[in-house]
Amino acid sequence: MKKISFLVLFLCFVFNAKSIAQCEIKNRVQADGSMIYFFEPAVFYTTKSKSLKINIVTDKEHYFVALQPTPFPEKKVGKKIKEDLVMHLADNKTYTLAHYDTQYRRNDSIMQVLYLIDDKDLDAFSNYEAVSAEINMQGTEFVRSYNFKLHKNAIVEQLKCFLKKDEN
């Protein structure tokens, strides 16, 4: 009986810790002095030759999908990426997100491309998991397509955390 009680207590702790960790919002001061808020990127797609991490970034006014593709082009070529992102959600609709910025971070070891979520699409991104994305990786290949297999609901969960926090 003691073992069962301990097991139940342990499982409650594990599930509670997981739900708290899901809304672990981080922040960083940009070079211009503005503050951005973000989550650790989640892996949406991975193979031996390429991978894609995605997270939500906000300045509390706008929401962005941040992509970290691997491999990525060198800085000179990567800064030419200006095309919009096409995302397919589980509602069977296609959304076009406007390119906002291409950044190289951590001594150029990570490339991150920010795409603006249109305010009218925020509700869809908050309720439907991501299914796939098409990125024009100018300079490396024409269009990279990713059919998501992992953490497809990470965008939904992250947006819910931000939107819930904004309501308070």
Side-chain angles (χ1 to χ4, degrees), residues 71-127:
F72 57 84
E74 64 182 50
K75 198 173 196 174
K76 184 177 177 182
V77 175
K79 286 291 190 175
K80 294 179 183 175
I81 296 174
K82 302 284 184 201
E83 299 295 321
D84 295 342
L85 172 69
V86 176
M87 285 197 73
H88 304 273
L89 301 183
D91 64 352
N92 295 318
K93 292 183 182 176
T94 302
Y95 298 87
T96 302
L97 284 68
H99 176 270
Y100 183 77
D101 191 22
T102 301
Q103 306 168 342
Y104 283 77
R105 299 183 15 235
R106 294 193 193 148
N107 296 322
D108 299 342
S109 64
I110 296 175
M111 178 182 127
Q112 177 173 278
V113 187
L114 294 174
Y115 296 95
L116 179 65
I117 300 174
D118 194 304
D119 289 343
K120 68 178 175 41
D121 297 332
L122 203 53
D123 190 51
F125 278 88
S126 300
N127 290 298

Side-chain angles (χ1 to χ4, degrees), residues 31-164:
D32 66 359
S34 63
M35 181 75 76
I36 61 161
Y37 303 89
F38 63 96
F39 288 90
E40 283 298 319
V43 177
F44 270 59
Y45 181 90
T46 188
T47 66
K48 289 181 181 178
S49 61
K50 63 182 178 178
S51 70
L52 182 67
K53 292 181 180 180
I54 298 179
N55 65 316
I56 298 296
V57 176
T58 185
D59 59 3
K60 295 288 187 169
E61 193 174 329
H62 302 97
Y63 294 89
F64 304 91
V65 169
L67 303 183
Q68 293 180 359
T70 305
F72 57 84
E74 64 182 50
K75 198 173 196 174
K76 184 177 177 182
V77 175
K79 286 291 190 175
K80 294 179 183 175
I81 296 174
K82 302 284 184 201
E83 299 295 321
D84 295 342
L85 172 69
V86 176
M87 285 197 73
H88 304 273
L89 301 183
D91 64 352
N92 295 318
K93 292 183 182 176
T94 302
Y95 298 87
T96 302
L97 284 68
H99 176 270
Y100 183 77
D101 191 22
T102 301
Q103 306 168 342
Y104 283 77
R105 299 183 15 235
R106 294 193 193 148
N107 296 322
D108 299 342
S109 64
I110 296 175
M111 178 182 127
Q112 177 173 278
V113 187
L114 294 174
Y115 296 95
L116 179 65
I117 300 174
D118 194 304
D119 289 343
K120 68 178 175 41
D121 297 332
L122 203 53
D123 190 51
F125 278 88
S126 300
N127 290 298
Y128 298 101
E129 67 183 23
V131 175
S132 65
E134 290 131 34
I135 309 163
N136 187 338
M137 294 295 289
Q138 204 165 330
T140 57
E141 55 206 65
F142 294 111
V143 175
R144 260 191 219 178
S145 294
Y146 298 92
N147 289 317
F148 302 140
K149 303 291 182 201
L150 307 167
H151 305 106
K152 296 180 348 177
N153 66 339
I155 292 173
V156 171
E157 297 301 322
Q158 291 178 15
L159 276 172
K160 283 184 179 179
C161 288
F162 277 134
L163 296 172
K164 181 175 66 174

